[in-house]
Amino acid sequence: QSVLTQPPSASGAPGQRVTIPCAGASSNLGGNYVYWYQQLPGRAPKLLIYQNNQRPSGVPDRFSGSKSGTSASLAVSGLRSEDEADYYCAAWDDSVRGPVFGGGTKLTVL
Amino acid sequence: QVQLQESGPGLVKPSETLSLTCTVSGGSLSPFYWSWVRQPPGKGLEWIGYIHYTGETNFNPSLKSRVTMSLDTSRNTFSMNLSSVTAADTAMYFCARERAFDSWGQGTRVTVAS
């Protein structure tokens, strides 16, 4: 059971926009930044979004993040086949006194 | 661009200690935090702990009693020990930079079996 809650799967057709939600609590998303990671099949995770909505250099602007209260979401617009991956949200948790992850969402491009 | 590379045994016997090292190239250990994250087969990510370049450590409460971490600035490496391993510790182990995990190693697969 992960501290942050994500749906196990999401899907969309090429070119469409998909949103992946992440639900938390006051001890994590409620007062701390959310981070998003993309894990391509057989690869290490990669930082996709940091501090709620910032993109590291090299991440396409098709990826965007937002946070409101104890919920956050990752949006992927203009879906491409190479976006098929597992996506994880994470945040610092004041109770755990460390980072916690969501269970991950497998994104399928139809 | 910083690069991280995990190393260690791929097979550990139950009740023994798992020892992994992460070699950092293209950058210094200072002034960063250095983390370990694991992923059991077919499952999600779990934070194990981190060590600051000053030596400060912090561990996941669920693993705290079995984990130690250290760093070697002369070799630009940091290490993790996980004691009394069981089959539940079988996973891909990743090292990463910072508590936000902004750079990752490729991971090393560890199997706990006799």
Side-chain angles (χ1 to χ4, degrees), chain A residues 92 97-99 101, chain B residues 33-38 46-52 56-64 67-69 78-80 93-99 101:
Chain A
W92 183 269
R97 287 186 240 175
F101 287 97
Chain B
Y33 289 90
W34 300 94
S35 299
W36 289 95
V37 175
R38 70 180 182 179
E46 179 183 30
W47 169 66
I48 298 171
Y50 62 71
I51 183 167
H52 191 236
E56 167 203 350
T57 56
N58 187 27
F59 306 126
N60 188 320
S62 68
L63 299 169
K64 189 174 184 176
V67 176
T68 59
M69 292 185 182
F78 62 103
S79 300
M80 179 198 79
Y93 286 76
F94 298 99
C95 58
R97 190 178 72 172
E98 280 295 349
R99 296 174 295 183
F101 318 123

Side-chain angles (χ1 to χ4, degrees), chain A:
Chain A
Q1 190 87 8
S2 301
V3 176
L4 304 179
T5 301
Q6 297 179 239
S9 63
S11 62
Q16 282 190 333
R17 182 176 186 269
V18 170
T19 299
I20 297 173
C22 174
S26 57
S27 61
N28 41 67
L29 294 185
N32 298 294
Y33 292 124
V34 66
Y35 297 78
W36 290 92
Y37 304 88
Q38 177 193 59
Q39 187 175 30
L40 296 169
R43 304 290 297 274
K46 167 191 161 186
L47 180 63
L48 200 63
I49 297 288
Y50 66 97
Q51 292 180 0
N52 298 340
N53 54 19
Q54 302 299 302
R55 284 185 306 276
S57 174
V59 173
D61 60 6
R62 300 186 297 103
F63 294 92
S64 61
S66 64
K67 195 194 83 164
S68 178
T70 58
S71 297
S73 64
L74 173 72
V76 186
S77 58
L79 264 181
R80 305 173 70 162
S81 59
E82 58 260 40
D83 298 332
E84 277 209 346
D86 293 323
Y87 292 85
Y88 293 90
C89 59
W92 183 269
D93 188 289
D94 297 329
S95 300
V96 173
R97 287 186 240 175
V100 292
F101 287 97
T105 298
K106 183 176 184 62
L107 176 60
T108 301
V109 181
L110 302 171

